[in-house]
Amino acid sequence: MADAKDTGVGAEAAAHPVSHSDLAESTHAVEPRPPHWYYKGFKVGKKELWYASPKIQLLMVALVCFLCPGMYNALGGLGGGGQIDPTVQDHASTALYSVFAVVAFFSGSFANKLGIKATLGIGGLGYCIYSASFLCYNHTQNVGFVIFAGAFLGLCAGLLWTAQGAIMMAYPPEQSKGRYISWFWIIFNLGAVIGSLIPLGQNINNSGGTVTDGTYVGFIVLMLVGAALTFFLVNADKVIREDGSKVIIMKNPTWQSEIIGLWQCISFSPWVVLLFPMFFSSNIFYTYQQNGLNLAHFNIRTRSLNNLLYWLAQILAAVIFGYALDYPKIRRSMRAKISFVTLFALTFIIWGGGYAWQKQQVSRDVSSDPSFEAQKVDWTDPKFLGPMFLYIFYGFYDAVWQTCIYWYMGALSNSGRRTANMAGFYKGLQSAGAAIFWRLDGIHIEYNTLFAVTWAVCAGSLLIAAPIIFTKIQDTTDLETDLKYSDEKPEDVVPPAALNDKHVDV
């Protein structure tokens, strides 16, 4: 950066770096957007939107996730991928998350080099093939195809979720990240909700164990539509926010610069590794909840209903926590502390209730016996109500965890390049955790043990992450900090009028 006196900017600006909050409070008039169709504004109520705006692009990627991962979640939420025996789905999930973990860890580099649009486009391909493999398995018992489809989905999902994370954390203004995360999580989980209605409708009179072919066909069609939607996105360099600012990226990325960027992301803030256990823990609970609870103890139509309620609870949690995390009357650093204490308390309240229920259940050997199928709980049974509410609270907890961790990462940086790498680390470690826990289920570990390990890892990861939340999340992030290790300058991402208004040291 040039010296303050060289640019005619006062010493005060040099001594006090401009933050994103400063720019948000700037009184400069918003400059006209470039004359291109995707910058042409249109009114929705009192708000003006344009195609290459953060809100529309977030909506687009949310719809992709609504139709691809959302439907995957609906299928997985049935337990065993809709099969009676979860073994083949356990093997597929182990392959999926093992590949996912490796790919995602480096996928920030792919997103930064190839662009958000291409990364999402590749990422959307694997979901329909995964669903098709279960339809095939219903008729051919081809385990190999299901495992291959899981591994291929791991490759695709690693790219898709890294690009999605970068959009959700880097596109919004600093003061609106909680709401953007909330909006995404609502639309994404509406996919799982609607996807859950498919098996519920298909199997409402089916008290057996395996879903119908029509269920799988419905998922395949919807996932294909989601993959096609990725081609209608724009890349990050085209996005312009309401205040006229742009997303911080590398203007001229190379494969070398982006591989080095992975190391720079860690070396710039090495303490971020304390969040890695939270990343690892963020998907491990699905294994117990979907297979150890829902599949093991409920018949197919009741599992379908539980699945629907689980994803509805996620929407409720995303609304509450997303908006609370942006509450403007409390400083951001304090909001981080309050949300973390709340998450820690929920970990012991909800999982404590789960322990009280789990210790009364039959062993895995008993619940896995085909003769036990007739004894599984139906929604007409009096004993259904308690575990139904427990499953709802598990869904609520999942969304609270995901919303908070995304917000914490977004509070640490506004850089599109750095958040893409952070999203890659997050999804990579998340998938490593999921792969390990699906493997534990695949080797038929006792459900009581699976429950205990899941609870312990979640609680322990929060204790390790606490110093980051309490000491590193500040009330705002300096623009100079966000531009570090990027080839962009303030004038590349901030409107000139705002630069002059706030005397940015360039």
Side-chain angles (χ1 to χ4, degrees), residues 387-410:
M388 178 199 75
F389 276 107
L390 176 60
Y391 206 62
I392 289 171
F393 284 121
Y394 278 145
F396 187 92
Y397 177 82
D398 177 24
V400 172
W401 188 289
Q402 309 291 347
T403 301
C404 286
I405 194 65
Y406 270 117
W407 188 83
Y408 297 153
M409 289 189 289

Side-chain angles (χ1 to χ4, degrees), residues 316-345:
L316 177 63
V319 171
I320 294 172
F321 274 76
Y323 278 79
L325 286 166
D326 279 346
Y327 187 63
K329 294 185 179 180
I330 299 176
R331 292 182 295 110
R332 186 172 75 171
S333 56
M334 181 57 66
R335 279 178 264 144
K337 296 178 178 70
I338 293 171
S339 67
F340 187 80
V341 170
T342 303
L343 179 57
F344 191 81

Side-chain angles (χ1 to χ4, degrees), residues 57-133:
Q57 292 303 299
L58 180 84
L59 173 63
M60 293 291 292
V61 77
L63 288 174
V64 171
C65 292
F66 170 100
L67 291 164
C68 291
M71 296 302 150
Y72 167 83
N73 282 345
L75 179 61
L78 293 172
Q83 303 294 313
I84 295 176
D85 183 358
T87 303
V88 66
Q89 192 248 358
D90 284 337
H91 293 331
S93 294
T94 301
L96 189 163
Y97 287 110
S98 298
V99 175
F100 195 160
V102 176
V103 172
F105 204 82
F106 298 98
S107 58
S109 297
F110 283 88
N112 290 330
K113 174 65 175 114
L114 300 177
I116 294 294
K117 181 177 179 178
T119 306
L120 276 167
I122 298 169
L125 296 175
Y127 289 89
C128 58
I129 296 173
Y130 180 80
S131 292
S133 72

Side-chain angles (χ1 to χ4, degrees), residues 85-94 287 291 364 434-447 450:
D85 183 358
T87 303
V88 66
Q89 192 248 358
D90 284 337
H91 293 331
S93 294
T94 301
T287 307
N291 284 5
R364 179 171 190 144
I436 291 169
F437 276 73
W438 282 113
R439 181 56 187 158
L440 290 175
D441 194 49
I443 62 174
H444 300 152
I445 190 173
E446 184 58 54
Y447 287 137
L450 187 62

Side-chain angles (χ1 to χ4, degrees), residues 28-48:
H28 77 278
V30 178
E31 297 179 357
R33 294 183 294 274
H36 199 286
W37 69 267
Y38 44 69
Y39 296 124
K40 186 176 181 181
F42 57 92
K43 291 285 187 179
V44 177
K46 295 182 179 180
K47 292 283 186 179
E48 184 187 24

